[in-house]
Amino acid sequence: MHWQPKHLVPLLALGTLALGLRAAVEPARARAAAPRPAASLAQAVAQGKAIFDRNEFGGVRTCSSCHLNGGTTLGRLPNGAKIPSLIGAAAEFPRFKASQHGVVTLEQQIAHCIRGGVQGTPPAPDSPQMTDLVTYLTSLSKGAVMGKQFK
C-alpha cells in the first residue's frame, strides 16, 4: 500500500486524541497519588511516623535504618558510628551549622538526611510529607526546652 496524505490525517487525529486523553488522565492520576494533608495533629504524627519507617524517597534506606526505634533510642549510621536519639531534637532547631556555613532549619536538616543518609529525594519543604515528618519529630520533643541554642 502506498501512503498518501489522506491516510495521514486519520492517523494524526488518532495520535492527537491519544495524547489529549493521556494529558487529561496523567494529572488526575498524579492528584490521586499525591499525599493529602493530615486532618488532625494526631494523624500528622501517625503519618510522619509511617513515612519515617517506609522508603518513600527512592533511596537505599529509610529514616529508621539509622534512627532506630522511630528515633527514640540511640541510632547507628551505616558506617557503625553511633548517633543520638531524636528525643528533643526538634527543639534544637533552627541552629547554626558551621559545616553548612549558616543557620539550618529542621526541614533543611530532614532534607539533608534524606539526600545523604537515605540517599533519596527529599519531599518539598511545603509538602504534606515534610509537614508530617516535622510534626512527628516535634512530637518526640514534647516537654523539651526550646531555645537552648540561643545563648
Side-chain angles (χ1 to χ4, degrees):
M1 174 177 184
H2 180 323
W3 283 96
Q4 295 179 1
K6 68 179 184 180
H7 295 122
L8 190 57
V9 172
L11 286 175
L12 286 173
L14 184 59
T16 302
L17 178 63
L19 286 175
L21 287 174
R22 181 176 180 196
V25 169
E26 290 301 320
R29 188 176 294 150
R31 280 192 304 275
R36 297 187 181 258
S40 68
L41 195 57
Q43 184 182 20
V45 171
Q47 289 176 183
K49 171 72 166 83
I51 292 167
F52 192 88
D53 289 336
R54 288 192 311 253
N55 184 345
E56 294 216 355
F57 309 111
V60 298
R61 289 181 273 285
T62 66
C63 300
S64 59
S65 297
C66 297
H67 300 286
L68 307 177
N69 300 310
T72 60
T73 60
L74 288 177
R76 193 172 300 273
L77 296 176
N79 67 7
K82 292 180 181 178
I83 55 175
S85 86
L86 295 175
I87 301 290
E92 298 176 11
F93 286 89
R95 67 177 171 198
F96 183 82
K97 288 188 94 173
S99 63
Q100 294 183 13
H101 309 289
V103 175
V104 177
T105 65
L106 181 57
E107 291 85 351
Q108 290 169 323
Q109 182 62 45
I110 291 169
H112 173 76
C113 286
I114 292 170
R115 270 192 299 280
V118 172
Q119 297 178 5
T121 303
D126 61 346
S127 70
Q129 284 180 309
M130 183 63 83
T131 299
D132 291 346
L133 282 169
V134 168
T135 303
Y136 171 65
L137 293 175
T138 302
S139 77
L140 297 179
S141 295
K142 182 180 177 183
V145 176
M146 297 285 297
K148 291 188 292 184
Q149 68 274 38
F150 300 100
K151 297 176 180 157

